[in-house]
Amino acid sequence: MLFTGLDGVAEDVFGETHSLDLPCAGDWIYLQVTAIHNECHFWAQLPYGCNPKPPGETQWAEPMQGGPIEDIPARHLAISQSYTSMMRDLQQHYRQHGLSHSQQDLPACGELVTAWLSSSGLFYRGRVCDVLPEISSVKVFFLDLGNTECLRKDDLFQLLPRFLRVPFQAVQVFLYELEPVPGESIRRTAREFFEDIILGKVLVARVMRRSLTDALWVLLYLMGDSGTLINHLLLDAGFCVKQQPRHQDQGTEGTNRVLNMYPD
């Protein structure tokens, strides 16, 4: 995805070779939720890429430490390894040289930045989605996680082009044909219910739709012997209802609660 005002950089480092492979309708994938917008809308990383479920296999086994390396598409494996290396270099560079890349003024809306997230103690790649000059802060969307945070200017740094060579990792995901039940109280309970189910787990999803903006609509499963369909759990618990057609291609970054920070 190319952002306004960054076409020169994007053409240089986000050509076809460096794009993130995404699944198509009908594909089976592993995913790990990194930020939640609500119980039907979240952001995730694909730790094993577009890894189709083997034909005839009815259950998924928990992947071993490091994942089923032999099944990961070579191109996605290269990107995944490059991302790990990039994150390591990003931490080292900005811990040692961050002051030399400090923002003198508030960045503009849409600008790419390196952002310090105090809750994790790590630096991440982000994009400014709102500017709040009255409090010398901006809202930053974290491009590899999917969460949105309000940050002070002191926590923002210029993002060097060398850290743009790896595709952004956060993928926007919706539960297929579901939407939240209205009401603040039930929404809070529903969100906690959903978090308890998915927190810290690698999940399995069948992609039912993929939009022109690369959002995915999925059937989401727990791994293991039961193969529990999370869509049905939320529906049966009364936390979601069948989605109305008016919402099919909507979805914004919004204010999301981050779940999984990238480890050191």
Side-chain angles (χ1 to χ4, degrees), residues 13-22 46-50 72-87 125 144 165-169 262:
V13 299
F14 281 107
E16 183 178 350
T17 303
H18 296 287
S19 61
L20 185 65
D21 284 330
L22 290 176
L46 309 184
Y48 308 117
C50 303
I72 302 178
R75 185 163 172 269
H76 185 93
L77 180 59
I79 291 175
S80 179
Q81 292 172 339
S82 296
Y83 174 64
T84 301
S85 177
M86 183 276 298
M87 282 296 293
R125 302 182 295 180
D144 297 307
R165 295 190 176 93
V166 177
F168 303 135
Q169 302 293 302
Y262 196 86

Side-chain angles (χ1 to χ4, degrees), residues 154-170:
D154 292 344
D155 294 327
L156 305 172
F157 306 88
Q158 297 171 359
L159 181 59
L160 299 181
R162 69 189 246 204
F163 296 117
L164 287 173
R165 295 190 176 93
V166 177
F168 303 135
Q169 302 293 302

Side-chain angles (χ1 to χ4, degrees), residues 2-207:
L2 304 182
F3 301 112
T4 303
L6 297 170
D7 294 337
V9 173
E11 289 175 359
D12 185 37
V13 299
F14 281 107
E16 183 178 350
T17 303
H18 296 287
S19 61
L20 185 65
D21 284 330
L22 290 176
C24 298
D27 285 347
W28 290 83
I29 55 171
Y30 292 105
L31 63 78
Q32 188 162 20
V33 179
T34 51
I36 295 177
H37 182 73
N38 61 47
E39 57 274 18
C40 299
H41 175 196
F42 53 91
W43 294 79
Q45 292 182 355
L46 309 184
Y48 308 117
C50 303
N51 187 25
K53 184 177 180 181
E57 186 172 314
T58 58
Q59 297 178 347
W60 290 77
E62 192 77 24
M64 298 178 63
Q65 183 71 22
I69 299 298
E70 69 277 3
D71 295 329
I72 302 178
R75 185 163 172 269
H76 185 93
L77 180 59
I79 291 175
S80 179
Q81 292 172 339
S82 296
Y83 174 64
T84 301
S85 177
M86 183 276 298
M87 282 296 293
R88 187 184 306 114
D89 292 345
L90 188 78
Q91 308 311 312
Q92 182 177 357
H93 179 83
Y94 283 93
R95 285 192 174 109
Q96 293 179 355
H97 308 291
L99 289 178
S100 63
H101 304 299
S102 297
Q103 295 278 0
Q104 300 302 315
D105 300 302
L106 284 177
C109 194
E111 185 174 340
L112 293 179
V113 296
T114 296
W116 167 258
L117 194 58
S118 59
S119 60
S120 67
L122 295 175
F123 295 95
Y124 295 94
R125 302 182 295 180
R127 175 163 58 89
V128 176
C129 53
D130 196 9
V131 180
L132 308 169
E134 65 277 9
I135 57 174
S136 297
S137 300
V138 298
K139 287 185 178 179
V140 175
F141 176 72
F142 286 78
L143 294 156
D144 297 307
L145 298 171
N147 57 310
T148 301
E149 307 286 345
C150 186
L151 300 177
R152 299 174 299 122
K153 181 171 69 71
D154 292 344
D155 294 327
L156 305 172
F157 306 88
Q158 297 171 359
L159 181 59
L160 299 181
R162 69 189 246 204
F163 296 117
L164 287 173
R165 295 190 176 93
V166 177
F168 303 135
Q169 302 293 302
V171 179
Q172 187 171 206
V173 184
F174 297 85
L175 295 184
Y176 183 62
E177 292 188 336
L178 294 183
E179 63 183 9
V181 172
E184 183 177 345
S185 178
I186 192 170
R187 291 286 296 277
R188 187 183 307 111
T189 304
R191 187 182 182 119
E192 292 172 353
F193 180 83
F194 183 60
E195 286 185 14
D196 287 342
I197 294 173
I198 58 86
L199 187 61
K201 297 177 182 176
V202 177
L203 306 167
V204 172
R206 184 179 185 185
V207 178

